[in-house]
Amino acid sequence: MIEFRNVNFAYEKERPVLRDLSFRIGDGEAVGLIGANGAGKSTVMKLLLGLLFPASGEILVDGAAVGKKSLPEIRRKLGFVLQNSDNQMFMPTVYEDMIFAPLNYGLSREEAEKKVDAALEKLGMRELKHRHNHKISGGEKRMAAIATILAMEPEAVLMDEPSSALDPCNRRRVINIIRELKQTKLITSHDLDMILDTCERVILLDRGQIAADGPAEQILRDRTLLEAHRMELPFCLAGRK
Amino acid sequence: MNKMEKALHELSEMDELAAGASPIHRLCAPGKLLTTIAYIAVVLSFHKYELSGMLALLLYPVLLFQISGVSVGSFFYKLRIVLPLVMAVGLFNPFFDRQILVTVGGVGVSGGVISMLTLMLKGVLCLMASYLLMATTPIDVLCAALRKFHIPGTLVTLLLLTYRYIGVMTEELATMTEAYHLRAPGQKGIHVSAWGSFLGQLLLRSMDRAEELYNSMLLRGYHQHFHYAPVKPCTWKDGAVTLCSIALFLLLRFCNVAELLGGLFVR
């Protein structure tokens, strides 16, 4: 589904952000992309979405290389949940935000409305449909942001820090929603407990290179590995001192 | 709540006002837009000395305020910064135009005073009409109505996004002023020495936010074509209200009601 082939990228020439990065994510896989600040996680997302282009190497989505020509088709397949939901929810109401993508993809208003209702139903948040975005809580906004992406019916869901700034209850709700999604998932987060709960595979990035790639249970339990790459064990595995 | 947060709150209140369900809210947007444009055109067409003729045009906003349930107080409160500027437009007229035009109770009133009052009234009436349109029609429906009148899509999208970005900029301003005041306790406003960097930072932060928003739109299939909210089709009732309103404005334009009424009592 998603493939990075020897990708190199730098914002400034002398400071490479990604170095010869290669990995592959299969259909339906749930992958957690972890790493310390500056490891290159957000850059990976931006490259995948065609918001940035690599200096060299190739990025493929369903076999199609990410490039200017293929962007509309690729973006249709990828739903991206931004870290800051305020930047995602720019319309006055949840409904208008949710219907934005289906209309852009050529659906009639009736068809688009059906998709909106289905997404709201799936997340159990029909009551939010006509609420004003500025009147809903942070947790509801995050859920609504996920709903806007589900209304697009993407083949893969990309999430940037989906559990940040949420209270424990809303965080659990988001985790449960993510677990129920059937699509391919790529999630970047510093919340390793959430990654452990939602992803079966983890890619650990350090200074633009893959430091480890394997089962989440194995990587997230490896204290030596994590600490060598400026990370810590998830709280649930660290135990009390 | 700091000043900026209040401003943000007021902005969001406009969206809520526009989502009301009064008979005025239910009228079709193109009709309301046409009526407002006609009203403003009629108001602006009055000569600078035709103050009495314009007074009858107050009827339109008064009726609209009553029927729509939008409070007059909210109009004066929300436009408290613009109104004095509008009022100041003709402030110097009395100094330049001193010719006595009418005598009221033995006191001569100069042309400058009348033209000043006319200009003030014109400004207030135009603002009232625009405010009432905004308060009874959601912005995206209004934009859709503009497209119905074949206003170029780029202009309409620009209008809509500008309206949305005002909120984004105000949010950033609210965060920045709060951060500033937390480290400058007891200080009123922002010290002049910080204005330059403050404005620069505001611009950079707003641009970053705007870029994020735009990326979010692009990732959801946006391609320079905005799908506006569906415009309620205009019924014969909407048409009748629009035509009657425009006819009333024209009647009030060419027939000085205040003078006619006055003529009943004064020879």
Side-chain angles (χ1 to χ4, degrees):
Chain A
M1 168 91 208
I2 294 168
E3 193 174 353
F4 272 58
R5 283 184 190 162
N6 311 103
V7 171
N8 287 286
F9 179 82
Y11 291 101
E12 296 162 46
K13 250 187 181 176
E14 59 280 5
R15 291 175 64 191
V17 178
L18 299 180
R19 291 179 291 172
D20 204 27
L21 189 73
S22 297
F23 64 85
R24 195 180 177 283
I25 298 172
D27 277 336
E29 254 193 301
V31 179
L33 191 61
I34 62 168
N37 290 334
K41 306 182 296 291
S42 300
T43 307
V44 166
M45 291 289 200
K46 285 182 179 169
L47 286 165
L48 187 52
L49 293 159
L51 295 173
L52 298 171
F53 292 98
S56 65
E58 204 174 20
I59 301 164
L60 305 165
V61 175
D62 262 352
V66 177
K68 282 190 176 141
K69 278 188 183 168
S70 60
L71 272 187
E73 197 48 45
I74 281 170
R75 284 179 177 165
R76 188 171 188 162
K77 291 178 181 173
L78 306 173
F80 183 47
V81 181
L82 276 77
Q83 181 177 358
N84 183 353
S85 306
D86 282 330
N87 290 345
Q88 187 142 2
M89 310 294 288
F90 53 85
M91 300 292 272
T93 64
V94 172
Y95 164 74
E96 285 165 84
D97 244 311
M98 287 187 70
I99 207 161
F100 182 79
L103 287 178
N104 281 333
Y105 287 123
L107 295 188
S108 70
R109 199 158 272 272
E110 291 72 37
E111 289 171 315
E113 187 139 0
K114 275 182 196 161
K115 298 226 184 273
V116 168
D117 287 336
L120 286 170
E121 188 73 51
K122 190 171 183 177
L123 300 184
M125 41 185 274
R126 267 187 306 177
E127 73 284 354
L128 280 189
K129 187 174 176 182
H130 293 293
R131 295 273 302 275
H132 279 258
N133 281 332
H134 65 272
K135 287 247 165 142
I136 57 178
S137 69
E140 288 173 326
K141 207 174 268 185
R142 187 64 52 86
M143 245 75 81
I146 296 174
T148 59
I149 295 309
L150 292 189
M152 282 170 63
E153 295 187 336
E155 289 173 26
V157 179
L158 316 179
M159 294 181 167
D160 191 5
E161 295 285 358
S163 61
S164 67
L166 292 181
D167 63 44
C169 188
N170 277 316
R171 177 180 168 278
R172 178 51 52 193
R173 210 173 151 195
V174 167
I175 288 174
N176 290 338
I177 287 170
I178 296 172
R179 284 165 67 112
E180 280 168 27
L181 297 179
K182 299 281 182 281
Q183 289 94 334
T184 305
K185 285 168 273 186
L186 179 62
I187 303 167
T188 70
S189 184
H190 292 297
D191 179 353
L192 300 185
D193 293 81
M194 188 268 296
I195 294 286
L196 194 62
D197 260 356
T198 54
C199 302
E200 68 247 22
R201 179 181 157 200
V202 159
I203 296 175
L204 171 60
L205 278 186
D206 192 5
R207 295 179 184 91
Q209 287 181 311
I210 293 180
D213 182 352
E217 281 282 339
Q218 187 188 320
I219 289 177
L220 295 178
R221 280 178 190 279
D222 190 338
R223 183 192 293 264
T224 319
L225 173 74
L226 291 172
E227 286 181 355
H229 298 284
R230 297 178 287 156
M231 304 289 286
E232 283 184 347
L233 282 179
F235 291 120
C236 66
L237 301 179
R240 289 182 182 211
K241 283 189 178 172
Chain B
M1 207 189 279
N2 69 26
K3 272 184 187 173
M4 288 304 129
E5 280 167 340
K6 271 186 194 162
L8 207 58
H9 185 69
E10 279 178 39
L11 204 64
S12 63
E13 269 179 358
M14 281 305 286
D15 281 336
E16 282 166 45
L17 266 181
S22 75
I24 303 293
H25 285 87
R26 286 199 299 270
L27 285 175
C28 78
K32 279 190 274 187
L33 185 62
L34 202 63
T35 311
T36 307
I37 292 170
Y39 180 78
I40 291 173
V42 167
V43 166
L44 294 179
S45 73
F46 276 90
H47 188 264
K48 62 179 178 175
Y49 296 141
E50 283 184 284
L51 179 62
S52 63
M54 272 175 66
L55 287 173
L57 283 170
L58 270 167
L59 186 69
Y60 173 72
V62 168
L63 272 177
L64 249 61
F65 275 120
Q66 279 299 316
I67 302 169
S68 65
V70 176
S71 88
V72 188
S74 75
F75 163 74
F76 284 108
Y77 184 73
K78 283 190 200 304
L79 298 180
R80 63 194 178 279
I81 296 169
V82 186
L83 273 173
L85 296 175
V86 170
M87 304 288 265
V89 170
L91 218 55
F92 294 103
N93 286 17
F95 299 107
F96 296 116
D97 183 358
R98 296 181 183 183
Q99 191 191 349
I100 303 295
L101 283 190
V102 284
T103 312
V104 181
V107 181
V109 181
S110 71
V113 171
I114 294 177
S115 65
M116 177 186 75
L117 292 173
T118 309
L119 274 175
M120 284 176 174
L121 189 60
K122 274 185 184 182
V124 172
L125 290 180
C126 290
L127 274 178
M128 271 185 176
S130 315
Y131 176 79
L132 280 163
L133 178 68
M134 293 289 292
T136 56
T137 321
I139 183 75
D140 45 343
V141 177
L142 198 58
C143 287
L146 284 169
R147 287 294 293 135
K148 287 253 175 205
F149 289 120
H150 299 284
I151 305 291
T154 315
L155 270 181
V156 178
T157 306
L158 201 67
L159 174 74
L160 182 69
L161 293 183
T162 306
Y163 183 80
R164 294 267 170 264
Y165 281 134
I166 290 172
V168 172
M169 250 179 107
T170 318
E171 258 177 51
E172 291 303 323
L173 200 55
T175 311
M176 284 175 68
T177 42
E178 196 168 338
Y180 180 89
H181 285 125
L182 285 172
R183 285 178 291 158
Q187 191 178 306
K188 268 196 169 181
I190 289 153
H191 194 266
V192 72
S193 62
W195 282 11
S197 57
F198 204 84
L199 278 177
Q201 279 296 319
L202 176 66
L203 186 69
L204 289 174
R205 288 170 66 115
S206 308
M207 277 166 67
D208 279 350
R209 280 286 308 271
E211 197 178 332
E212 277 267 296
L213 279 171
Y214 185 61
N215 281 343
S216 157
M217 289 164 74
L218 285 179
L219 296 177
R220 286 193 276 158
Y222 176 71
H223 43 270
Q224 278 81 48
H225 175 68
F226 221 93
H227 294 274
Y228 300 101
V231 178
K232 181 184 146 274
C234 293
T235 60
W236 66 268
K237 271 185 192 171
D238 295 314
V241 171
T242 307
L243 284 177
C244 289
S245 305
I246 294 172
L248 177 72
F249 301 154
L250 291 175
L251 181 76
L252 296 175
R253 173 66 189 89
F254 296 110
C255 168
N256 192 333
V257 179
E259 213 171 84
L260 281 175
L261 286 173
L264 293 176
F265 305 101
V266 184
R267 283 200 179 179

